[in-house]
Amino acid sequence: MAQKEDKLLSKGYEFSSVEEKWLQKWTEEGCFDAKMEDGKPSFSVVIPPPNVTGVLHVGHALNNTLQDILVRYHRMCGDNTVWVPGTDHAGIATQNVVERQLATEGKGRHDLGRDAFIEKVWEWRKEKGGTIVNQLKKLGASCDWERERFTMDEGLSDAVREVFVRLYKEGLIYKGDYIVNWCPRCHTALADDEVEHEDTKGKLYHVRYPYADGSGSVVVATTRPETMLGDTAVAVHPDDERYAHLGDIGIRLPLTDRVIPVVYDHHAQMEFGTGALKVTPSHDRDDYEIGLRHDLPLLKVMDDKGVMNEEAGEYAGLDRFECRKKIVADLEAQGFLVEIEDYDHAVGHCYRCKTVIEPTTSLQWFVSVRPLADKAVAAVRDGDINIYPKTWYNTFYSWMDNIRDWCISRQIWWGHRIPAWTCEDCGELIVESTDPTSCPKCSSTKLVQENDVLDTWFSSALWPFSTMGWPENTKELQTFYPTSVLITSFDILFFWVARMMMMGIHFMDEIPFKDVYLHALVRDKHGKKMSKSTGNVIDPLEVMAQYGTDAMRFTLTAFAAQGREIKLDEDRIEGYRHFINKIWNAARFALMHVGECDNSVKKVVENPKELPLVHQWILSRTATTIESVRRGLDEYHFNEVASANYQFIWGEFCDWYLEWIKADLFSDDPKAKEQAQGVLLTVLETILKLIHPVTPFVTEEIWSALPGERSPLMTSEFPELQESWKNPEAEAQMELLMGVITGIRNIRSEAEVHPSNKIDAFVNCPDETQRTTIANFAAAVSDMTRLSSFTVQESGEKPDDAGTYIYNDIEIFVPLAGLVDVAAELEKLARERKKVEGKLKQVNGKLGNGKFLANAPDAVVAKVKEEKEQLDAKLAKIGEAEERYKKIG
Ligand SMILES: [Zn+2]
Ligand SMILES: [Zn+2]
């Protein structure tokens, strides 16, 4: 007895203490630790490393819930399972945070100097960098936390260096001029995703460029007239007859004494404006490409601060926007300005300081990606790597086809400093695995290391193998590489996923992961992107505190359908909290009856055919659910995992099975009781295992209260499909009985028969087999619907005063005379009808009034219309109810 009381679950599910308890226990008992046993299949996942500056948002919650589900599932299947956690040093983002901190002390990073600044960043990381990791732990993420890595830790930095040196020696890393997104404030090149495009009300300046021979002119348009000083050509379409003769003549560039060529390029559109484009290869991305195609010179007219340089002639020394004003004034004064047009367009801004980006050429480091990309494409085409959902294949191929060389240098301090040195005496460039002390060419010791650091994505591209100890050939690499699946948000398919493919295949000679599952962004319930400014952000930590972590995890899982937008609605989270409570309450009920059982009672399920129908049915449904859940997990249909569990647990186990077996559980017949206990315990255990990967906390807590000594549920075996439990015949019979019961209950509730009133029921069932089944279970049906008599017949007249329900070809009648005070009910309805009709008259009056319609605001009119619809619906309902009662009366 003492044991039962100890183990009995508390009345309500108190998630916060339960979650805390199990997070600690799982860790203490080493449940998260990776296993590397011989002869077992492996399942490995590397976490998409969140930024070390990160705070858990709902996207992380989704991403990590899905990973955790798979990891828990495979761990329970007995695979050698590992989930490698870690964080990304997030170059610019982290540098920003520390710079902002310094700014509050009135200091900048240059006041500290490089080394002291980097030390500050490490300090920050030590103090604050653990936030996201602790939040992931709270989410229940079953990572092997002992293996936590950081993209800047020693091992990973070694891997970065090794990769850089090897690629350089293979000729796949080079230094060259390239057009980059330049922030003149931060003095750094920015990746495309670090540029924020904002719609801006700007101007389009139309400028006349005279032909060099004075025979005419062409008008070009630009939003940035100051860049014309860097023009090195005018481009027109090759088919454009208007300019066919200009090739030999050229253009005299206004405000300068230069003559520039006309080039024929397909990028120019004949129908757009005059069909002519000014070409500034040093300050525009498209123009840079045109320049490459026609071998045009690069002419940079601004310095790194956005100030015009000596190439700008008399404009040198002016800030670019000052220069713009002066150029426009001069063009106008000299008669070159044709028109200034208002022009709304997207302007790129630096994501950290909001300064307008200046596309510009600068000397940068590049990875020559074509050969690497080709191997990645082949791996996907050959099916070595599968992408889910399938809709992403085309996007992937087209992006890889058009891939540009990857600019990997960043002009910041926080990150992997480029391991290249220049000899100050002879100019030799030295790239080695160990820091050089003297120049191999001239023996000079005056060596200067590159100031730039590597793009953050460079180190994360190595993540699947660098975290497992590469370049050493570790046991981890042998056991866990290639990893099994990568789960990530679709928006980093190119920045990260594709680059991991390239690096993994190149350095490991093997793909980094077999499957890629791309999930959607989590939006608000209206499908809008969540943002602080819109105020529609759902904070996962708040949700977890309010509804419990399991409820949130289950909701996210239920929404994770391949290829569908996720519109997260808090009402759904609340709804699923009820589901979690439902499981809890069902388990409490079950424990009252099986809490003291010996686990040997479960033996009864070995011969399911010897059990009463209801048990055969629930075992068969359990088998089907095992199948659906496994299929969902194996094929990444997470929403189906959620719905299979939900429908089975709530709709079948709780709503039907528990009620049906109540009588047996309380029975004096030991055999009936034992059978019920054995099946109940078996099914409950199976349910807990099936849904554990999605809702780990509540299931673990219930599991620990089940009879006998138990090691944690998360290390138990995932249910195998039980062929012997499958029983379509039992399922069909039970479905029939449930249909009849539902029908009788339906009539009862529609007619509002008081629960204490017993009723008579008639069933007309033309099929003989079905009729026999119903007759055989007449007692159970009577019990569950509170019948005083139950007539099952092939056919029969409908009693005059009966309520009717049709189930397939079965008619169900329940005589209602005397059970319902028809006159009183009709009177009630008549009063209700009068009220509704009165209101409806008012509303119709308004809607028939032209003045009202013309003058009232749209929102008010809409509201009145909505009111009318509601009243109409109400009236229809009243009519239906009146009909029902009239039939009875
Ligand atoms: Zn900036
Ligand atoms: Zn030298």
Side-chain angles (χ1 to χ4, degrees), residues 457-505:
W457 296 107
F458 190 89
S459 49
S460 45
L462 320 180
W463 191 245
F465 56 93
S466 65
T467 52
M468 295 188 190
W470 188 89
E472 302 300 318
N473 185 14
T474 57
K475 184 157 191 202
E476 280 78 2
L477 277 174
Q478 290 164 24
T479 313
F480 295 125
Y481 192 96
T483 63
S484 309
V485 56
L486 177 80
I487 296 191
T488 190
S489 173
F490 72 86
D491 54 343
I492 50 175
L493 174 59
F494 307 123
F495 292 116
W496 190 46
V497 182
R499 286 168 182 167
M500 279 192 287
M501 291 182 193
M502 297 192 242
M503 292 297 200
I505 297 170

Side-chain angles (χ1 to χ4, degrees), residues 122-187:
W122 278 109
E123 263 170 45
W124 176 90
R125 192 245 168 186
K126 211 169 141 195
E127 255 175 65
K128 306 263 176 69
T131 305
I132 184 93
V133 166
N134 289 326
Q135 291 167 337
L136 287 172
K137 286 181 181 171
K138 229 177 138 354
L139 185 69
S142 65
C143 302
D144 186 347
W145 292 105
E146 305 281 314
R147 292 174 183 272
E148 185 187 333
R149 302 306 299 266
F150 181 51
T151 47
M152 283 279 280
D153 70 24
E154 210 178 312
L156 269 58
S157 298
D158 287 349
V160 165
R161 175 117 181 215
E162 186 66 27
V163 163
F164 186 94
V165 172
R166 286 198 202 176
L167 287 175
Y168 179 78
K169 296 201 164 164
E170 291 167 36
L172 291 173
I173 280 184
Y174 66 93
K175 213 174 171 183
D177 253 326
Y178 206 74
I179 190 107
V180 292
N181 306 302
W182 186 264
C183 174
R185 221 275 323 164
C186 305
H187 296 181

